[in-house]
Amino acid sequence: MTVQQILHTVQLSKEELSKLLSATGDDEKVLFNYAANVKQQHVGNTVYLRGLIEFSNICEKNCYYCGIRRDNTDTHRYCLTEDEALEAVRFAHENGFGSIALQSGELSSDAFTRKIDFILKEAMRITNGEIGITLSCGEQTEDVYRRWFESGASRYLLRIESSTPELYAKLHPNDELHSFTNRVNALERLKKCGYQVGTGVMIGLPFQTAEHLANDLLFMKQLDIDMCGMGPYIEHARTPLYEHKLQLLSLRERFKLSLKMVALLRILMPDINIAATTALQTIEKNGREQAIQIGANVLMPNITPKRYRDDYFLYENKPVSQQSDEDDLKFLEKQLKNIGHEIGFFKQGNSLHYSAKNER
Ligand code: SAM
Ligand code: SF4
């Protein structure tokens, strides 16, 4: 079967997805065009913004790939004050971001739960309930998820990282804190609490095959997610996974593979929100725009107070803009206009998939 014929198949199988993930040249173009059309038909050409606030790099966990893992003593640890976080929320609201995303290392302390809770309530109060809030603060108990939901968070992003338990085990220490089953259960808890639920994976990991990635796409479909954030794995010298550096695909290959993952997910799940992630921009300057062209519809510009940005150092060469956030936004708007897209200013940009599910 040609790529065109495969794409017209109603239900794509693991084998077909694996084949499409290795498409190159004209086949790759056919795939990207097809995904761009699906996107246009289902979510249009509006791009929604989530002002990304990297709230804290303090983490109890020790994931083998992550630069802010607990055992990396080379990291200067920080946590924004309530005022600093709310200042960023105010900036987002005034500049028409419509939504923010609060992301942090994982902490299970009461103090952390209460601090996030306070920020959520205040963010709702100072924006008259107009700001949409996504959280990405790792695995928490059902009580905590529920409390944060009731205080104003409506979306939660928790990447499964890899949906293949054997590969997941190679990326994490072998203990309760890093259990694959616990992570899947956390995703189920989020659904139960009523969140728009997002997950995602890293692409181009050591030991990862096209079949693993095809499984990831089917996992997301089966979990019936509302949103996705996925992007290339980028190594960090102060992490255990770095020793497999020589096994990795080139950055360019990881980038291309990530675009194909975005395109295929758009085809499989036409009305979900898909973010064009920062890691794409790390590899290619206009990487996020390329992802927007072939399937993504959400961007997460960094609005963390500038003095903390270097410390949220997940992987090498993570971009830190030298311009003001206002200038970055103007530049982004221009870049998107050049590719026929517009920013959904002052709109929350909730997942259409979630709304459709809840109207049924
Ligand atoms: N601690 C929370 C969690 O892990 O769910 C949220 C913050 S964590 C830094 C956000 C994401 O960063 C992770 O889900 C992971 O996929 C990504 N990440 C960490 N290290 C990375 C790396 N070396 N390359 C690419 N992405 C990475
Ligand atoms: Fe912590 Fe998240 Fe990094 Fe894992 S990926 S070490 S949970 S910040």
Side-chain angles (χ1 to χ4, degrees), residues 65-66 104 136 159 161 183 202 232-234 312 314-315:
Y65 42 82
C66 178
S104 76
S136 179
R159 287 187 180 181
E161 316 295 1
R183 197 129 180 118
M202 282 174 288
Y233 161 70
I234 303 175
Y312 203 80
L314 306 183
Y315 45 76

Side-chain angles (χ1 to χ4, degrees), residues 50-295:
R50 281 86 176 93
L52 176 63
I53 305 172
E54 293 166 337
F55 177 65
S56 164
N57 68 353
I58 305 171
C59 189
E60 283 168 1
K61 290 176 82 166
N62 239 340
C63 309
Y64 290 154
Y65 42 82
C66 178
I68 62 171
R69 64 198 299 274
R70 191 182 65 214
D71 285 357
N72 183 4
T73 49
D74 224 14
T75 302
H76 169 253
R77 304 286 169 175
Y78 73 88
C79 182
L80 300 194
T81 64
E82 281 95 341
D83 283 350
E84 285 169 334
L86 291 168
E87 196 44 52
V89 172
R90 227 173 259 116
F91 171 84
H93 187 234
E94 282 164 8
N95 286 277
F97 278 67
S99 291
I100 55 149
L102 268 183
Q103 195 184 81
S104 76
E106 189 176 307
L107 285 179
S108 56
S109 69
D110 277 354
F112 180 74
T113 305
R114 271 188 270 112
K115 193 164 177 181
I116 295 281
D117 198 54
F118 176 81
I119 290 166
L120 291 171
K121 286 186 180 135
E122 280 298 291
M124 282 289 131
R125 191 182 65 76
I126 64 177
T127 66
N128 305 313
E130 285 165 5
I131 203 90
I133 307 181
T134 307
L135 285 180
S136 179
C137 303
E139 291 164 49
Q140 303 287 343
T141 62
E142 188 170 327
D143 282 352
V144 171
Y145 282 152
R146 202 171 294 284
R147 180 168 171 186
W148 288 346
F149 184 76
E150 283 163 7
S151 297
S154 52
R155 319 182 187 110
Y156 206 104
L157 184 63
L158 184 76
R159 287 187 180 181
I160 189 65
E161 316 295 1
S162 167
S163 66
T164 306
E166 296 75 30
L167 179 54
Y168 189 93
K170 291 189 171 140
L171 309 174
H172 299 95
N174 178 17
D175 58 28
E176 267 298 288
L177 197 57
H178 298 85
S179 130
F180 176 79
T181 313
N182 288 350
R183 197 129 180 118
V184 175
N185 289 343
L187 283 165
E188 291 297 347
R189 286 200 289 282
L190 287 165
K191 274 172 107 175
K192 192 169 156 203
C193 292
Y195 284 95
Q196 294 171 55
V197 175
T199 194
V201 293
M202 282 174 288
I203 299 154
L205 287 159
F207 322 113
Q208 192 180 46
T209 63
E211 201 170 284
H212 289 138
L213 290 169
N215 265 335
D216 293 336
L217 291 167
L218 294 173
F219 172 88
M220 293 189 239
K221 173 95 180 155
Q222 199 190 341
L223 194 66
D224 201 21
I225 57 168
D226 306 300
M227 41 191 226
C228 175
M230 60 182 167
Y233 161 70
I234 303 175
E235 60 274 25
H236 184 303
R238 300 286 308 233
T239 59
L241 220 55
Y242 194 72
E243 69 177 82
H244 304 287
K245 185 178 161 51
L246 295 178
Q247 269 173 255
L248 296 171
L249 295 174
S250 71
L251 281 171
R252 173 87 190 140
E253 285 166 324
R254 278 178 258 168
F255 176 80
K256 277 285 184 168
L257 198 51
S258 302
L259 288 187
K260 283 183 261 188
M261 284 290 282
V262 168
L264 286 169
L265 186 63
R266 175 57 70 201
I267 295 167
L268 285 175
M269 305 194 76
D271 59 353
I272 65 167
N273 280 343
I274 304 180
T277 55
T278 315
L280 287 166
Q281 190 193 4
T282 307
I283 300 179
E284 300 236 339
K285 216 164 168 230
N286 69 346
R288 293 180 310 171
E289 288 81 354
Q290 291 189 50
I292 293 287
Q293 279 179 294
I294 56 88

Side-chain angles (χ1 to χ4, degrees), residues 3 20 35 39 85 87 99 121 131 135 177 194 205 219 221 273 298-300 302-304 311 329:
V3 163
L20 291 166
K39 176 187 141 163
E87 196 44 52
S99 291
K121 286 186 180 135
I131 203 90
L135 285 180
L177 197 57
L205 287 159
F219 172 88
K221 173 95 180 155
N273 280 343
V298 166
L299 276 171
M300 301 171 72
N302 198 337
I303 59 164
T304 310
D311 292 327
L329 187 57

Side-chain angles (χ1 to χ4, degrees), residues 38-53:
V38 171
K39 176 187 141 163
Q40 188 59 35
Q41 274 172 33
H42 292 267
V43 295
N45 65 348
T46 304
V47 176
Y48 297 103
L49 301 181
R50 281 86 176 93
L52 176 63
I53 305 172

Side-chain angles (χ1 to χ4, degrees), residues 275-345:
T277 55
T278 315
L280 287 166
Q281 190 193 4
T282 307
I283 300 179
E284 300 236 339
K285 216 164 168 230
N286 69 346
R288 293 180 310 171
E289 288 81 354
Q290 291 189 50
I292 293 287
Q293 279 179 294
I294 56 88
N297 68 327
V298 166
L299 276 171
M300 301 171 72
N302 198 337
I303 59 164
T304 310
K306 288 238 167 181
R307 67 178 173 286
Y308 296 113
R309 286 193 201 173
D310 283 343
D311 292 327
Y312 203 80
F313 191 53
L314 306 183
Y315 45 76
E316 288 173 358
N317 300 319
K318 189 166 168 262
V320 177
S321 164
Q322 298 310 317
Q323 302 194 97
S324 73
D325 290 342
E326 286 87 347
D327 286 347
D328 276 344
L329 187 57
K330 282 192 201 116
F331 182 72
L332 189 62
E333 195 180 5
K334 205 166 120 220
Q335 295 291 93
L336 290 172
K337 203 167 166 205
N338 288 342
I339 57 166
H341 283 70
E342 56 174 25
I343 293 180
F345 281 115

